Amino acid sequence: MDQIVQHLVDRKQFMGTVLVARADQIVFHKSYGSANLEWDIANTSTTKYRIGSITKQFTSASILLLEERGKLKLDDPIKKHFGEAPAAWDSVTLEHLLTHTSGIPNFTSFPEFDKLKQFPTPVTELMGLFKDKPLEFAPGEKMAYSNSGYVLLGYVIEKASGMSYADFVQANIFTPLGMKDSGYDSNAPIIARRAAGYTRSGESMVNADFVHMSIPHAAGGLYSTTEDLLRWQRQLYGGKLLSAASLAKMTTPFKNDYALGLAVHTGKRKMYSHGGGIEGFNTLLAYYPDTQVSVVALANLNGNAPAEIAAKLGSLAHGDAVVLSHERKEITVPRRVLERYVGTYALSPQLNVMVTLEGDQLMTQVSGQQRVPTFAESQTRFFLKVVDAQWEFVETDGKVTHVILYQGGREIRAKRTSDTVAVKREIPLPVSALKKFVGTYQLRPGFDLVIKLEGEQLILHPTGQGTDRLYAETADTFFSKVVDATIQFHGNPQGEITHLTLNQGQFKGDAHRK
């Protein structure tokens, strides 16, 4: 287990604390890196970390406790508890909020969020950010992760209980369960053994951006330790907090394997889990109900390492073989075999995997991401070197029908929808036509898209990132050959370019010219 974590520590991708337990017996518990780099203070087993969206489990449990006490019902419309709810929310229920199926847009994705997060903001003002935005879909129709829904749930908890969210969780969960090292984080008080948060800038670590802790609220405002989160899982799933009926509700998925503040994975073995991400911290909490194995990975360094660590430690705890990325051996596969895998595969209705062949090199690209080389370890199974992920191509009756993605302990099947990949066609534009697009466009505060012209080539330079060439698809729409992304420029009646729209995977955003 230590080798699994140390592999990522050596690559400067993880600092934090990790715990694995079987029932109440801790089998692995170790800390890595610094709680404070500037003072060279080491992380320890008692270091307190912001847990980000793991908070949603506690919010879900709080709603269920209030339901047990007759204060509310999961099928209550939100307007019953929030009188200012717009008419568009008439059919939105508390259960829709809990399962991310309300259609209410996610306020942390708004362009103004980076500016907003720096200032104390009451929960009523937070709700005002998205209250008048149109729904993204009819309630219950789809699942789209939304922190807005959990901010609303925090407001409901406060109104139904007559207590602040922080006080309710403290009095009804942390104190009864003996979680003495957990609480609602705040910027002002001195909190003993609280870790500082970091992120990466190139090859260096830097202090993470500031976020006022009034902002994440019931969607991500709590802190905890590895041992306290073990106490939480043992008592939650052991029936010490909720009734059997409430726990069944909490762990029953609705759409996209998401239940109430929990993801429910039912592949090789059942697992309840949730990750968290907030400025300077990433976390992952997992529980395997059939074996009572708990895995906790808390990091004070932004990145995907906690998810990778938790998946591998969970596998190892169950006796599975675990192969680290540098241990995988590449083999040569005949081109005629590789040609059979070329095509488009659907991970979800909005997310495709495009598999292409460049010479004798198989390439994969997920919507909105970079095209990356994929290396064979057998004739059907391939691995990536840029991230710890593997693809396995599956045949049915002699034809490749789908591919399986193995990443972070999950197996995701993607059905083949086409044996070709849509290719964007480049058209030539004169330099005189390209010049009008040159400028700086603000996608969000502190993050610009700079468009330059080098010779006859339009160049994109996002803040803090490398440059990328843009190729014309139409007179005002350009695409990248490195990342699956397009940029469309918009002008006023006078022909002056005023803003652009970036489409990258599931992201779509406007950037106005500065």
Coordinates of all heavy atoms in Angstrom, one line a residue, residues 279-337:
E279 N -10.3 24.6 -3.5 CA -9.0 25.2 -3.7 C -8.0 24.6 -2.7 O -8.1 24.8 -1.5 CB -9.1 26.7 -3.5 CG -9.8 27.5 -4.6 CD -11.3 27.3 -4.7 OE1 -11.9 26.6 -3.9 OE2 -11.9 28.0 -5.6
G280 N -6.9 24.0 -3.3 CA -5.9 23.4 -2.5 C -6.1 22.0 -1.9 O -5.1 21.5 -1.3
F281 N -7.2 21.4 -2.1 CA -7.5 20.1 -1.5 C -8.3 19.2 -2.5 O -9.2 19.7 -3.2 CB -8.3 20.3 -0.2 CG -7.6 21.0 0.8 CD1 -7.7 22.4 0.9 CD2 -6.9 20.4 1.8 CE1 -7.0 23.1 1.9 CE2 -6.3 21.1 2.8 CZ -6.3 22.5 2.9
N282 N -7.9 18.0 -2.5 CA -8.7 16.9 -3.2 C -8.8 15.7 -2.3 O -7.9 15.4 -1.6 CB -8.1 16.5 -4.6 CG -8.5 17.5 -5.7 OD1 -7.8 18.5 -5.9 ND2 -9.6 17.2 -6.3
T283 N -10.0 15.1 -2.3 CA -10.2 14.0 -1.4 C -11.0 12.9 -2.0 O -11.7 13.1 -3.0 CB -11.0 14.5 -0.2 OG1 -12.3 15.1 -0.7 CG2 -10.3 15.6 0.6
L284 N -11.0 11.7 -1.4 CA -11.8 10.6 -1.9 C -12.2 9.7 -0.7 O -11.3 9.4 0.1 CB -11.1 9.8 -2.9 CG -12.0 8.8 -3.9 CD1 -12.6 7.6 -3.1 CD2 -13.1 9.6 -4.6
L285 N -13.4 9.4 -0.5 CA -13.9 8.5 0.6 C -14.7 7.4 0.0 O -15.6 7.6 -0.7 CB -14.8 9.4 1.6 CG -15.3 8.6 2.8 CD1 -14.2 8.1 3.7 CD2 -16.3 9.6 3.6
A286 N -14.3 6.1 0.3 CA -15.0 5.0 -0.2 C -15.3 3.9 0.8 O -14.5 3.8 1.8 CB -14.1 4.3 -1.3
Y287 N -16.4 3.2 0.6 CA -16.8 2.2 1.6 C -17.3 1.0 0.8 O -18.2 1.2 -0.1 CB -17.8 2.7 2.5 CG -18.3 1.7 3.6 CD1 -17.5 1.4 4.7 CD2 -19.5 1.0 3.5 CE1 -17.8 0.5 5.6 CE2 -19.9 0.1 4.4 CZ -19.0 -0.2 5.5 OH -19.4 -1.1 6.4
Y288 N -16.8 -0.2 1.1 CA -17.3 -1.4 0.4 C -18.2 -2.2 1.4 O -17.7 -2.8 2.4 CB -16.1 -2.3 0.0 CG -15.2 -1.6 -1.0 CD1 -14.2 -0.8 -0.5 CD2 -15.3 -1.9 -2.3 CE1 -13.3 -0.2 -1.4 CE2 -14.4 -1.3 -3.2 CZ -13.4 -0.5 -2.8 OH -12.6 0.1 -3.7
P289 N -19.5 -2.1 1.2 CA -20.5 -2.6 2.3 C -20.3 -4.1 2.5 O -20.6 -4.6 3.6 CB -21.8 -2.2 1.7 CG -21.7 -2.0 0.3 CD -20.3 -1.5 0.1
D290 N -20.0 -4.9 1.4 CA -20.0 -6.3 1.6 C -18.8 -6.8 2.4 O -18.8 -7.9 3.0 CB -20.0 -7.0 0.2 CG -21.3 -6.7 -0.6 OD1 -22.3 -6.4 0.1 OD2 -21.3 -6.7 -1.8
T291 N -17.7 -6.0 2.4 CA -16.5 -6.4 3.1 C -16.2 -5.5 4.3 O -15.2 -5.7 5.0 CB -15.3 -6.5 2.2 OG1 -15.2 -5.2 1.5 CG2 -15.5 -7.6 1.1
Q292 N -17.0 -4.4 4.4 CA -16.7 -3.4 5.4 C -15.4 -2.7 5.3 O -14.8 -2.4 6.3 CB -17.0 -4.0 6.8 CG -18.4 -4.5 7.0 CD -18.6 -4.9 8.5 OE1 -18.4 -4.2 9.4 NE2 -19.1 -6.1 8.6
V293 N -14.8 -2.6 4.1 CA -13.6 -2.0 3.9 C -13.8 -0.5 3.7 O -14.6 -0.1 2.9 CB -12.8 -2.6 2.7 CG1 -11.6 -1.7 2.3 CG2 -12.3 -4.0 3.0
S294 N -13.0 0.3 4.4 CA -13.1 1.8 4.3 C -11.7 2.3 3.7 O -10.7 1.8 4.1 CB -13.3 2.5 5.6 OG -14.6 2.3 6.1
V295 N -11.8 3.2 2.7 CA -10.6 3.8 2.2 C -10.8 5.3 2.3 O -11.8 5.9 1.8 CB -10.3 3.4 0.8 CG1 -9.0 4.0 0.3 CG2 -10.2 1.9 0.7
V296 N -9.8 6.0 2.8 CA -9.8 7.5 2.9 C -8.5 8.0 2.4 O -7.4 7.6 2.8 CB -10.0 8.0 4.4 CG1 -10.3 9.5 4.5 CG2 -11.0 7.2 5.2
A297 N -8.6 9.0 1.4 CA -7.4 9.6 0.9 C -7.7 11.1 0.9 O -8.6 11.6 0.2 CB -7.1 9.1 -0.5
L298 N -7.0 11.9 1.7 CA -7.1 13.3 1.9 C -5.8 14.0 1.5 O -4.8 13.7 2.0 CB -7.5 13.7 3.3 CG -8.7 12.9 4.0 CD1 -8.9 13.4 5.4 CD2 -9.9 13.1 3.1
A299 N -5.9 14.9 0.5 CA -4.7 15.6 0.0 C -4.9 17.1 0.1 O -5.9 17.7 -0.1 CB -4.5 15.2 -1.5
N300 N -3.8 17.8 0.5 CA -3.7 19.2 0.5 C -2.9 19.7 -0.7 O -2.2 20.7 -0.6 CB -3.2 19.8 1.8 CG -1.8 19.3 2.2 OD1 -1.4 18.1 1.9 ND2 -1.0 20.2 2.8
L301 N -3.1 19.0 -1.8 CA -2.5 19.4 -3.1 C -3.6 19.0 -4.2 O -4.0 17.8 -4.3 CB -1.2 18.6 -3.3 CG -0.6 18.8 -4.7 CD1 -0.1 20.2 -4.9 CD2 0.6 17.8 -4.8
N302 N -4.0 20.0 -5.0 CA -5.0 19.7 -6.0 C -4.4 18.7 -7.0 O -3.3 18.8 -7.4 CB -5.4 21.0 -6.7 CG -6.3 21.8 -5.9 OD1 -6.2 23.0 -5.8 ND2 -7.3 21.2 -5.2
G303 N -5.3 17.8 -7.5 CA -5.0 16.8 -8.5 C -5.8 15.6 -8.3 O -6.6 15.5 -7.3
N304 N -5.6 14.6 -9.2 CA -6.5 13.4 -9.2 C -5.9 12.3 -8.4 O -6.4 11.2 -8.4 CB -6.7 12.9 -10.6 CG -7.4 13.9 -11.5 OD1 -8.4 14.5 -11.0 ND2 -7.1 14.1 -12.7
A305 N -4.8 12.5 -7.7 CA -4.1 11.4 -6.9 C -5.0 10.7 -5.9 O -5.0 9.5 -5.8 CB -2.9 12.0 -6.3
P306 N -5.8 11.4 -5.1 CA -6.7 10.7 -4.1 C -7.6 9.6 -4.8 O -7.8 8.6 -4.2 CB -7.5 11.8 -3.5 CG -6.6 13.0 -3.6 CD -5.9 12.9 -4.9
A307 N -8.2 9.9 -5.9 CA -9.0 9.0 -6.6 C -8.2 7.7 -7.0 O -8.7 6.6 -6.9 CB -9.7 9.6 -7.8
E308 N -7.0 8.0 -7.6 CA -6.2 6.9 -8.0 C -5.7 6.0 -6.8 O -5.8 4.8 -6.9 CB -5.0 7.4 -8.8 CG -4.1 6.3 -9.3 CD -2.9 6.8 -10.2 OE1 -3.0 8.0 -10.7 OE2 -1.9 6.1 -10.3
I309 N -5.3 6.7 -5.8 CA -4.9 6.0 -4.6 C -6.0 5.2 -4.0 O -5.8 4.0 -3.7 CB -4.4 7.0 -3.5 CG1 -3.0 7.6 -4.0 CG2 -4.2 6.4 -2.1 CD1 -2.6 8.8 -3.2
A310 N -7.2 5.8 -3.8 CA -8.3 5.1 -3.2 C -8.7 3.8 -4.0 O -9.0 2.8 -3.5 CB -9.5 6.0 -3.0
A311 N -8.7 4.0 -5.4 CA -9.0 2.8 -6.2 C -8.0 1.7 -6.1 O -8.4 0.5 -5.9 CB -9.1 3.3 -7.7
K312 N -6.8 2.0 -6.1 CA -5.7 1.0 -6.0 C -5.7 0.3 -4.6 O -5.5 -0.9 -4.5 CB -4.4 1.6 -6.4 CG -4.2 1.8 -7.9 CD -2.8 2.3 -8.2 CE -2.5 2.1 -9.7 NZ -3.3 2.9 -10.5
L313 N -5.8 1.2 -3.6 CA -5.8 0.6 -2.2 C -7.0 -0.3 -2.0 O -7.0 -1.3 -1.3 CB -5.7 1.7 -1.2 CG -4.4 2.5 -1.2 CD1 -4.4 3.5 0.0 CD2 -3.2 1.6 -1.2
G314 N -8.2 0.2 -2.5 CA -9.4 -0.6 -2.4 C -9.2 -2.0 -3.1 O -9.6 -3.0 -2.6
S315 N -8.6 -2.0 -4.3 CA -8.3 -3.3 -5.0 C -7.4 -4.1 -4.2 O -7.6 -5.3 -4.0 CB -7.8 -3.0 -6.4 OG -8.7 -2.3 -7.2
L316 N -6.3 -3.5 -3.7 CA -5.3 -4.3 -2.9 C -5.9 -4.9 -1.6 O -5.6 -6.0 -1.3 CB -4.1 -3.4 -2.6 CG -2.8 -4.1 -2.3 CD1 -2.3 -5.0 -3.4 CD2 -1.7 -3.1 -1.9
A317 N -6.8 -4.1 -1.0 CA -7.4 -4.6 0.2 C -8.3 -5.8 0.0 O -8.5 -6.6 0.9 CB -8.2 -3.5 0.9
H318 N -8.7 -6.0 -1.2 CA -9.6 -7.1 -1.6 C -8.8 -8.2 -2.3 O -9.4 -9.2 -2.8 CB -10.7 -6.7 -2.5 CG -11.7 -5.9 -1.7 ND1 -11.7 -4.5 -1.7 CD2 -12.8 -6.3 -1.0 CE1 -12.7 -4.1 -0.9 NE2 -13.4 -5.1 -0.5
G319 N -7.4 -8.1 -2.3 CA -6.6 -9.2 -2.8 C -6.4 -9.1 -4.3 O -5.8 -10.1 -4.9
D320 N -6.8 -8.1 -4.9 CA -6.6 -7.9 -6.4 C -5.1 -7.6 -6.7 O -4.5 -6.9 -5.8 CB -7.5 -6.8 -7.0 CG -8.9 -7.1 -6.9 OD1 -9.3 -8.3 -6.6 OD2 -9.8 -6.2 -7.0
A321 N -4.6 -7.9 -7.8 CA -3.3 -7.5 -8.3 C -3.4 -6.1 -8.7 O -4.4 -5.7 -9.4 CB -2.8 -8.4 -9.4
V322 N -2.4 -5.3 -8.3 CA -2.4 -3.9 -8.7 C -1.1 -3.6 -9.5 O 0.0 -4.0 -9.0 CB -2.5 -2.9 -7.5 CG1 -2.2 -1.5 -7.9 CG2 -3.8 -3.1 -6.8
V323 N -1.2 -3.0 -10.7 CA 0.0 -2.7 -11.5 C 0.1 -1.2 -11.5 O -0.8 -0.5 -11.9 CB -0.2 -3.3 -12.9 CG1 1.0 -3.0 -13.7 CG2 -0.4 -4.8 -12.9
L324 N 1.3 -0.7 -11.1 CA 1.5 0.7 -11.2 C 1.9 1.1 -12.7 O 2.3 0.2 -13.5 CB 2.7 1.1 -10.3 CG 2.5 0.8 -8.8 CD1 3.7 1.2 -8.0 CD2 1.2 1.5 -8.3
S325 N 1.6 2.3 -13.0 CA 1.7 2.7 -14.4 C 3.1 2.5 -15.0 O 3.3 2.0 -16.2 CB 1.4 4.2 -14.6 OG 2.2 5.0 -13.8
H326 N 4.2 2.7 -14.2 CA 5.6 2.5 -14.7 C 5.9 1.0 -14.9 O 7.0 0.7 -15.4 CB 6.6 3.2 -13.9 CG 6.8 2.6 -12.5 ND1 5.9 2.8 -11.5 CD2 7.7 1.7 -12.0 CE1 6.3 2.2 -10.4 NE2 7.4 1.5 -10.7
E327 N 5.1 0.1 -14.3 CA 5.3 -1.3 -14.4 C 4.7 -2.0 -15.7 O 5.0 -3.1 -15.9 CB 4.8 -2.0 -13.2 CG 5.5 -1.6 -11.9 CD 4.8 -2.1 -10.6 OE1 3.6 -2.4 -10.7 OE2 5.5 -2.4 -9.6
R328 N 3.9 -1.3 -16.4 CA 3.2 -1.8 -17.5 C 4.2 -2.0 -18.7 O 5.0 -1.1 -19.0 CB 2.0 -1.0 -17.9 CG 0.9 -1.0 -16.9 CD -0.3 -0.3 -17.3 NE -1.3 -0.3 -16.3 CZ -2.1 -1.3 -16.0 NH1 -2.1 -2.4 -16.7 NH2 -3.0 -1.2 -15.0
K329 N 4.2 -3.1 -19.4 CA 5.1 -3.4 -20.5 C 4.4 -3.3 -21.8 O 3.3 -3.9 -22.0 CB 5.7 -4.8 -20.3 CG 6.4 -5.1 -19.0 CD 7.5 -4.1 -18.8 CE 8.2 -4.4 -17.4 NZ 9.3 -3.4 -17.2
E330 N 5.0 -2.5 -22.7 CA 4.4 -2.2 -24.0 C 4.8 -3.3 -25.0 O 5.9 -3.8 -25.0 CB 4.9 -0.9 -24.5 CG 4.4 -0.5 -25.8 CD 5.0 0.8 -26.3 OE1 5.7 1.5 -25.5 OE2 4.9 1.2 -27.5
I331 N 3.8 -3.8 -25.8 CA 4.1 -4.8 -26.8 C 3.7 -4.2 -28.2 O 3.0 -3.2 -28.3 CB 3.4 -6.1 -26.6 CG1 1.9 -5.9 -26.8 CG2 3.7 -6.7 -25.3 CD1 1.1 -7.2 -26.8
T332 N 4.2 -4.8 -29.3 CA 3.8 -4.4 -30.6 C 2.6 -5.2 -31.1 O 2.6 -6.4 -31.0 CB 5.0 -4.6 -31.6 OG1 6.1 -3.8 -31.1 CG2 4.7 -4.1 -33.0
V333 N 1.6 -4.5 -31.7 CA 0.4 -5.1 -32.2 C 0.4 -4.8 -33.7 O 0.6 -3.7 -34.1 CB -0.8 -4.6 -31.5 CG1 -2.1 -5.1 -32.2 CG2 -0.8 -5.0 -30.0
P334 N 0.1 -5.8 -34.5 CA 0.0 -5.5 -36.0 C -1.0 -4.4 -36.4 O -2.0 -4.3 -35.7 CB -0.4 -6.9 -36.6 CG 0.0 -7.9 -35.5 CD -0.2 -7.2 -34.2
R335 N -0.6 -3.7 -37.4 CA -1.5 -2.6 -37.8 C -2.9 -3.1 -38.2 O -3.9 -2.4 -37.9 CB -0.9 -1.8 -39.0 CG -1.7 -0.7 -39.5 CD -1.1 0.0 -40.7 NE -2.0 1.0 -41.2 CZ -2.1 2.3 -40.8 NH1 -1.3 2.7 -39.9 NH2 -2.9 3.1 -41.4
R336 N -3.0 -4.2 -38.8 CA -4.3 -4.8 -39.2 C -5.2 -5.0 -38.0 O -6.4 -4.9 -38.1 CB -4.1 -6.1 -40.0 CG -3.4 -7.2 -39.2 CD -3.3 -8.5 -40.0 NE -2.4 -9.4 -39.3 CZ -2.8 -10.2 -38.3 NH1 -4.0 -10.0 -37.8 NH2 -2.0 -11.0 -37.7
V337 N -4.6 -5.3 -36.8 CA -5.4 -5.4 -35.6 C -5.9 -4.0 -35.1 O -7.0 -3.8 -34.7 CB -4.6 -6.2 -34.5 CG1 -5.4 -6.2 -33.2 CG2 -4.3 -7.6 -35.0

